[in-house]
Amino acid sequence: VQLQASGGGLVQAGGSLRLSCAASGDTFYGYYMGWFRRAPGKEREYVASFEWSGGRTYYDNSVKGRFTISRDSAKSTVYLQMTNLVPEDTATYYCAAANRNGNINAPYAYWGQGTLVTVSS
């Protein structure tokens, strides 16, 4: 499984940005696809995730109502639409995949390379 994240950049507070994660190497049936981020000097944290087969979405409270995770099955791409960005959203964003066929608790074992999002005040 390979993940390629893109779409990061510099944006002003209040602006929007869409991240993409192109996935390859499997059908992704039964996978969870997630977005995580690591701000400078901080631990990596969970942002949002998407159940590939059922379409259910999950969000951290810090982004709920502002970020939307979605997919394009034909392109095997997962998106993170970010709106109303604030400086605290500044971080390197990583997409990740967890194969949860047979194990609902399987960890995120596959990671993309990260894309930097900088929100200026």
Side-chain angles (χ1 to χ4, degrees):
V1 172
Q2 292 187 325
L3 305 173
Q4 181 74 34
S6 62
L10 174 64
V11 63
Q12 288 188 331
S16 300
L17 210 58
R18 189 179 78 162
L19 305 183
S20 300
C21 177
S24 62
D26 205 334
T27 61
F28 300 102
Y29 178 83
Y31 276 63
Y32 277 64
M33 310 297 285
W35 285 97
F36 294 76
R37 65 187 180 186
R38 176 174 285 164
K42 295 188 176 182
E43 297 289 318
R44 184 177 65 199
E45 63 179 11
Y46 166 83
V47 175
S49 57
F50 181 92
E51 182 188 355
W52 190 272
S53 303
R56 284 176 286 188
T57 57
Y58 308 88
Y59 299 93
D60 183 78
N61 285 336
S62 65
V63 306
K64 197 173 294 184
R66 300 188 298 122
F67 291 11
T68 303
I69 189 170
S70 64
R71 69 156 182 212
D72 182 331
S73 297
K75 297 180 179 179
S76 292
T77 299
V78 178
Y79 302 100
L80 185 68
Q81 178 68 49
M82 305 184 294
T83 63
N84 197 18
L85 285 160
V86 297
E88 291 73 24
D89 294 319
T90 294
T92 298
Y93 284 71
Y94 300 89
C95 61
N99 184 348
R100 292 190 171 166
N101 288 293
N103 181 3
I104 193 63
N105 296 313
Y108 285 91
Y110 307 99
W111 292 84
Q113 83 287 6
T115 184
L116 178 62
V117 172
T118 304
V119 183
S120 64
S121 57

